[in-house]
Amino acid sequence: MTYVVNRLLSVILTLFLITLVTFAVTNILPGDVAMMIMGTQSNEAALEGLRQSLGLNDPLIVQYGRWIGGLLTGDLGNSLIFKKPIAELLVQKAVASAIIVVMSMTIALALAVPLGVWAAVHRDKWQDTVSSSASLMGVSLPDFFWGIVMILVFARWLVWFPSSGIVEPSEDFLGALRYAFLPSLALGLGLMAHLTRMTRSTMTGILGQEFICVARAKGLTERTVIWRYALGNAIGPVITIAGLQIGYLFGSIIVMESLFGYTGMGWLTYQALLNRDLPLIQATVVVIAAVVMITNLLVDLLYVLIDPRVKLG
Amino acid sequence: MKRFKTTKGLIGIFLLTIIALVAILGPMILPPDAATKMDMLARRSPPNWNHLLGTDQLGRDMLARVILGARTSLEIAVSAVLMSIVLGLPLGLVSGYSGGWNDNVLMRLVDTLLAFPALLLALTISAVLGPNVQNTIIAIGVAFTPYLARIIRGEALKVAQMPYVEAARASGTTDGMIMLRHVLPNILPAVIVQATISLAFAILAEAGLSFLGLGTQPPAASWGLMIQASRDQLDVAPWTALVPGAAVALTVLGLNMFGDVLRDILDPKSK
């Protein structure tokens, strides 16, 4: 119980620091927000008016206080480019991105675990070389390159999936999955490479341990030994790495959603950055960092459920 | 597997040597306007004898552009990684060696930064500072710092507990001297390995930033920019995406292969 309380306290502290870092990065770095919004050619009077109305002339600590107050009450202000409340935009886009995140992680794990196990079982043979080379190749290509290849193959040549756009899951769930599939596949392939390497190295370590020898000596089938005994022990570290990849994934969805014109959180973040929509930049950055941190916490807790040797407290 | 490892290392070194040579010598050999000269009669022409890797939508030679892009991409990646070492090394070293409150405060900060996806942090910094080559370097450098600091801290923590550090402390050596003379040399292998891997990620990050228009700006040639430009003409001119894509892939592949082997040599425990 102490563990959970400690973790929760540290989550709150980190959340606070996340807001501080976001605010610092977007405010203290050189660059005039009013000029970002209106462009370098605008006249001084108009700039001053905008600064006044945005409260940019107040001391930073006051601005930060105002912003935090808004965050806590769910009032994130209005987006400058979309002219809509940011909270509303975030809720709407978060669902679309959640589909992509879950789908790409599922694809990555579904491919990486068997491939990693296969490589570890046939360690130092051609199967291992194939799997290692494939995953090395996978980590070496930028994922947006995979995205371009996917568009070319599945959308242009085979015409199986749409190359861009989005469907609201509330209107047509299967349609939404269809639109999310290609970006998820492209993201999943990049992730898969990392996870395959991790599965292989963890499995290799475990297959060399004594209890595996004992299990084989007891006459258990190779299938039980590998999939139940060995993988059961290897899956924990793999899940941890998968959890850590969530951060990487949230960076990549910015590129991927923009490439596929998939209007989720990543696309929203990109629009905010591109148009220097400061309130929207701050909101999306804070939300993404918070989601990444909380996911990592959940993965830690999940680990405890999967691996009985890890005890809380 | 042993042979595979050696071959892998050799391929890695071979790829990196070629790419470094191209990036350094290429711009000297090419005529100054090679990458910007537009051949309007040969727009989007597939690879041929005049243009070995074809031309892009403005009739610019892809080979010349990919060579000049190598220089931009490598310059940015190397500078960014150096910057993250300059920032992350003291952070990690002090944190890991001194422990206690220093460590707590510094690592809390690093953990917070780690919650921001590196690419998001880099994009945000670049957008706030205004996208150009120098700011791309700063953006990637800062975004990579927490990763480096974390790894260096872990290594420093291990080394700080070694008997020889204790002996140095017992003989009255100052903490600063111990960090410089005893801890630093012993964590260098880990730093070098991490730097190689970071370099691979920095190449990918630069490509990503430029691809999104928040990194290198046109008309400069960078691999990410070239891939971005290819987006709208994939069906008619797939080579405009494949050429810079292959350049990124070969470089990162070389760095990853070299990094894997380097880790086995410099850091045998992690095998």
Side-chain angles (χ1 to χ4, degrees), chain B residues 82-160:
Chain B
L82 281 180
M83 184 174 162
S84 69
I85 292 176
V86 169
L87 294 174
L89 193 62
L91 263 177
L93 199 57
V94 170
S95 195
Y97 176 76
S98 57
W101 263 101
N102 284 343
D103 186 31
N104 263 332
V105 173
L106 287 177
M107 280 308 117
R108 180 60 62 195
L109 182 71
V110 164
D111 279 346
T112 307
L113 288 174
L114 283 175
F116 296 88
L119 190 61
L120 174 64
L121 199 55
L123 283 168
T124 310
I125 295 173
S126 185
V128 171
L129 291 180
N132 59 40
V133 169
Q134 185 201 327
N135 292 340
T136 307
I137 294 171
I138 296 176
I140 299 174
V142 171
F144 280 18
T145 300
Y147 293 87
L148 220 86
R150 253 245 166 269
I151 284 164
I152 291 170
R153 178 213 175 240
E155 293 296 318
L157 197 66
K158 265 188 270 172
V159 175

Side-chain angles (χ1 to χ4, degrees), chain B:
Chain B
M1 203 61 186
K2 193 151 196 163
R3 205 175 51 202
F4 173 61
K5 283 245 166 80
T6 336
T7 330
K8 197 162 90 173
L10 286 177
I11 298 176
I13 292 173
F14 174 73
L15 282 173
L16 292 182
T17 315
I18 299 268
I19 290 156
L21 282 179
V22 165
I24 295 166
L25 298 179
M28 296 181 191
I29 297 168
L30 287 171
D33 65 340
T36 45
K37 202 174 77 189
M38 300 181 209
D39 186 350
M40 279 308 184
L41 294 175
R43 288 164 58 199
R44 294 194 191 104
S45 66
N48 58 51
W49 279 115
N50 287 332
H51 303 285
L52 286 178
L53 295 176
T55 61
D56 66 4
Q57 73 284 3
L58 297 172
R60 295 176 298 192
D61 186 59
M62 291 294 289
L63 181 62
R65 287 187 70 73
V66 90
I67 289 174
L68 286 182
R71 179 170 217 153
T72 320
S73 298
L74 288 183
E75 251 172 25
I76 292 177
V78 170
S79 316
V81 170
L82 281 180
M83 184 174 162
S84 69
I85 292 176
V86 169
L87 294 174
L89 193 62
L91 263 177
L93 199 57
V94 170
S95 195
Y97 176 76
S98 57
W101 263 101
N102 284 343
D103 186 31
N104 263 332
V105 173
L106 287 177
M107 280 308 117
R108 180 60 62 195
L109 182 71
V110 164
D111 279 346
T112 307
L113 288 174
L114 283 175
F116 296 88
L119 190 61
L120 174 64
L121 199 55
L123 283 168
T124 310
I125 295 173
S126 185
V128 171
L129 291 180
N132 59 40
V133 169
Q134 185 201 327
N135 292 340
T136 307
I137 294 171
I138 296 176
I140 299 174
V142 171
F144 280 18
T145 300
Y147 293 87
L148 220 86
R150 253 245 166 269
I151 284 164
I152 291 170
R153 178 213 175 240
E155 293 296 318
L157 197 66
K158 265 188 270 172
V159 175
Q161 288 157 355
M162 291 287 168
Y164 54 81
V165 170
E166 211 174 311
R169 206 177 291 140
S171 70
T173 318
T174 59
D175 282 341
M177 220 44 186
I178 295 177
M179 277 194 258
L180 222 57
R181 283 281 178 76
H182 300 282
V183 183
L184 187 59
N186 283 294
I187 61 169
L188 268 186
V191 177
I192 294 172
V193 170
Q194 187 55 32
T196 318
I197 297 166
S198 298
L199 216 48
F201 277 110
I203 299 260
L204 292 175
E206 188 278 326
L209 252 64
S210 302
F211 180 73
L212 290 178
L214 288 168
T216 323
Q217 298 297 307
S222 117
W223 293 338
L225 269 179
M226 292 170 74
I227 299 179
Q228 186 207 29
S230 74
R231 268 172 68 178
D232 305 323
Q233 43 189 359
L234 280 178
D235 338 11
V236 280
W239 58 89
T240 53
L242 294 175
V243 169
V248 173
L250 288 177
T251 312
V252 177
L253 195 65
L255 284 166
N256 279 333
M257 287 176 144
F258 184 62
D260 276 5
V261 175
L262 206 60
R263 179 169 41 209
D264 292 343
I265 297 169
L266 292 178
D267 193 8
K269 282 159 291 173
S270 72
K271 241 188 226 178

